[in-house]
Structures are given as structure tokens and as C-alpha cells.
Amino acid sequence: MTSSDFRPPAEAAIRLQALEKVYAGGKRALDRVSLEIPRGSMFGLLGPNGAGKSTLINILAGLVTKTSGTAEVWGFDIDQHPRNAKASLGVVPQELLFDAFFTPFETLELQAGLYGVPQASRRTMELLKKVRLDDKAHVYSRTLSGGMKRRLLIAKALVHNPPVIILDEPTAGVDIELRQMLWAYVRELHAAGTTVVLTTHYLEEAEELCDRIAIVNHGRIVADTDKKSLLGQAREKRVVVTLESDIVAIPAIEGVTRVEKLDERRLDILYDKGSTQAGAVLARLQAAGLSVVDVSTREADLEDVFLELTGAPIGAAAGAVV
Ligand code: ADP
């Protein structure tokens, strides 16, 4: 339990309690997930394929029925206040699905109609301008490039001016230039006060954009922490040394996190790269009378942290981790 468990629900943008989804056929996609996404945050939801991210998003979006547990958006329970919960959320899906014969202008107007946004408060052109599609307002959507379609999807999720927006893999398969542009736009949205939740396979993206990151694996939250702490876990560096003679006893080395014997002559040493350097570790070994004949080092990064927590490489092929 953390102190966040005691906050009143109204303070969370999204609050899940023991959320469970078992699909027909028995697949448990979400296993009693409890999670609180603070208002105003830029929250990253990371997880390998099959972890349960889409199921979670689809439950919030009202597209998948949960098996048990509760979910709230902006303080509105999705069962008790489905309309308010829906009005509080904008979801940018992963797939670029459009009616090809609608123009971006019509697409947004239709969406505004679906959400009951009155004519007077519609911001269709303003939104198109924001995602830099105003010059494409009246062309068929099928003629738009992939990047333009993605921007249109963002605008579509914003027509009802929700306080929370979820972007599902917003930059999957987009080139670097467009990724930078999307990042800039997401930052703008966040700066203007929108709570942003994004799922991503790119650790770099979560690292760049998010202030808080949760990692999902096999339908469970395996980490939920601020980015700095998560990065802190990636500060460990490893050096494997081969000694000239057999190891009799594991030496005590000052300033390292852990020393393990791998075999007769090799030691696996973990240290914090913020406070120690490989050279210093080696010097301490020499000073202890141990002669080093070979050294290899490896730096842990977020990828390692992810691997450690989930046991799966990020971006694992669909179906590889179920
Ligand atoms: P992610 O978005 O993290 O890749 P999903 O939420 O799509 O994960 O899937 C979680 C698990 O639920 C996977 O094992 C997936 O195969 C399964 N699953 C997803 N949708 C369905 C469905 N409609 N019916 C049965 N199983 C499903």
C-alpha cells in the first residue's frame, strides 16, 4: 500500500481497483489490476505484447466489458456514470481506421455529434489547425498520409475536450520526423492541462515524455513509479572479471552493490555507476591481491530494467509472450 491508496478518488484522472478481465475461452488478460493515474500527469503504460494494455484501454473506452473490479475516469465510475466517464476520456487508437470517404472536417463533425457537442461549442477548424491539417480539411481522408491520419485520430479524440487522453502506441511505425512532431504536440496538450496516458513499446519514448511509468506484464502491474526511480534502477553497471587463479573466497570490495562467483575464476560485480567506476573496482581487486586477466562490462539501461521486471524483451513479437 502506498499513500496514494488513501487519496480521494476525485484526485485521480484514472483509478482502477482490482480490475479483472477474463475473456470467453478463459484467457485472464487483466489480473486484479489496481492503478492510479494522477491528474495532470504524463503517464506511460509499458508492457510487452499480450500484457493486457489494450484490454485495459478498451475497458475504459467502453469497448470491452470487465469481469470484475472497478474503473473510474475523472472520478466517474464507468458502471455508475458511464456517460460522464466517457465524456472525460479521449482515446487515440492504434489502428488507422477511418471512413475513407469522409473528409477530416466531416470526421470531426461526426465525432462531435456522437459526443453531443453542441454546434456552438465545436472547434473543428481550430482542432484541425492544431494538428496542422487545416489545409486538408476538405479532402477525402483516404488521400491522407499515415502521419496525417494519425494526427486526425488525435484531433478526433479531442473533439469533446476531455480532460484525459489515452494514446495507444502513438508513434508505432512512424518515421523519426513525425515522431518528433507528435511528441511536440503531446507535450503541448499536456502543458495545456490535459492528463496524457500513452502506451508505447519505445522505452525511449516513455523516458522522453512521461513523468510516471507503469509496467504491465501478464495482466499485472509489475512496476508503477516515477520515471526517475525507474531510471535509478538502470544506474547499475556490471563488470565480470576473470582472475588469474581460482577464487578461494568471495572478496569484500568496497563501494560495490553485489559480488557473485560465476565459476572458479570469474566474479560478477554490480556497482552503481553514479558513485563508482570500473577502474576503481579493478584497482580494489588488485589491492586485495587478486590478479585480473580479463574484464567485460555492461551497462544496464531501461531495457534491462524492463527485462528484469517482465522477463520479456520489450517489443516482443505478438503472441510470443502470453
Ligand atoms: P496488449 O495490448 O498489451 O498487447 P491485450 O490486451 O491485447 O495486450 O491482450 C492481453 C491478452 O488477452 C493476450 O493474451 C491476448 O491474446 C488476450 N486477448 C485479447 N483480446 C482477446 C479476445 N477478444 N478474446 C480472447 N483473448 C483476448
Side-chain angles (χ1 to χ4, degrees):
M1 283 256 161
T2 63
S3 58
S4 62
D5 292 308
F6 302 106
R7 277 190 219 157
E11 277 190 25
I14 289 173
R15 188 180 166 94
L16 313 176
Q17 277 182 307
L19 190 64
E20 190 181 38
K21 174 64 190 179
V22 181
Y23 282 107
K27 175 73 207 176
R28 187 176 301 273
L30 293 178
D31 191 2
R32 294 179 62 81
V33 165
S34 294
L35 181 68
E36 192 170 300
I37 298 180
R39 290 189 181 195
S41 61
M42 179 90 104
F43 197 96
L45 202 57
L46 290 176
N49 276 318
K53 304 179 301 292
S54 302
T55 301
L56 196 159
I57 292 173
N58 288 337
I59 289 173
L60 291 170
L63 300 172
V64 164
T65 316
K66 65 185 165 60
T67 306
S68 61
T70 61
E72 284 169 12
V73 184
W74 215 249
F76 298 111
D77 186 284
I78 60 166
D79 292 331
Q80 286 163 28
H81 305 282
R83 277 167 157 260
N84 287 334
K86 206 170 172 222
S88 304
L89 185 66
V91 177
V92 183
Q94 216 177 104
E95 320 81 55
L96 300 174
L97 277 180
F98 288 102
D99 191 321
F101 295 98
F102 280 133
T103 67
F105 186 89
E106 288 164 344
T107 301
L108 296 194
E109 281 291 314
L110 194 70
Q111 183 79 353
L114 283 175
Y115 275 86
V117 181
Q119 283 290 348
S121 31
R122 291 190 187 174
R123 311 173 293 146
T124 305
M125 276 320 286
E126 184 194 322
L127 272 172
L128 287 173
K129 208 167 190 159
K130 271 215 164 122
V131 294
R132 297 171 190 89
L133 282 178
D134 42 327
D135 56 339
K136 301 281 179 188
H138 303 293
V139 304
Y140 284 142
S141 294
R142 69 186 154 91
T143 65
L144 301 178
S145 69
M148 290 173 185
K149 284 181 180 155
R150 213 165 274 278
R151 270 140 56 199
L152 179 56
L153 279 180
I154 296 181
K156 196 175 160 194
L158 292 170
V159 290
H160 57 294
N161 207 13
V164 190
I165 181 166
I166 300 182
L167 300 118
D168 194 5
E169 298 273 353
T171 60
V174 307
D175 64 33
I176 291 173
E177 199 182 331
L178 177 61
R179 186 178 302 174
Q180 294 291 346
M181 189 180 155
L182 288 172
W183 283 3
Y185 186 61
V186 168
R187 278 204 190 92
E188 232 174 79
L189 263 178
H190 181 243
T194 307
T195 301
V196 178
V197 182
L198 62 96
T199 73
T200 179
H201 272 123
Y202 299 108
L203 288 168
E204 183 205 346
E205 187 159 72
E207 204 176 327
E208 175 87 22
L209 292 177
C210 301
D211 49 36
R212 207 173 164 85
I213 294 172
I215 297 180
V216 196
N217 194 36
H218 296 300
R220 295 195 180 142
I221 304 288
V222 293
D224 172 17
T225 180
D226 62 280
K227 181 177 64 183
K228 279 199 185 126
S229 317
L230 204 65
L231 283 171
Q233 291 182 45
R235 292 235 326 264
E236 291 205 315
K237 203 163 170 173
R238 162 170 280 138
V239 56
V240 174
V241 295
T242 309
L243 302 174
E244 200 177 46
S245 48
D246 286 0
I247 301 155
V248 186
I250 292 179
I253 311 166
E254 197 194 322
V256 303
T257 316
R258 201 182 70 204
V259 184
E260 259 175 32
K261 189 175 158 182
L262 289 178
D263 52 39
E264 289 312 314
R265 296 208 173 168
R266 287 192 308 150
L267 286 175
D268 183 1
I269 304 167
L270 265 185
Y271 63 95
D272 185 327
K273 70 179 182 193
S275 57
T276 313
Q277 283 175 347
V281 173
L282 295 178
R284 281 170 205 151
L285 279 169
Q286 303 282 7
L290 300 167
S291 236
V292 176
V293 294
D294 191 35
V295 181
S296 66
T297 60
R298 206 169 74 88
E299 199 160 321
D301 55 18
L302 260 183
E303 188 90 24
D304 290 311
V305 177
F306 187 87
L307 196 65
E308 205 171 291
L309 289 166
T310 66
I314 193 137
V321 187
V322 284

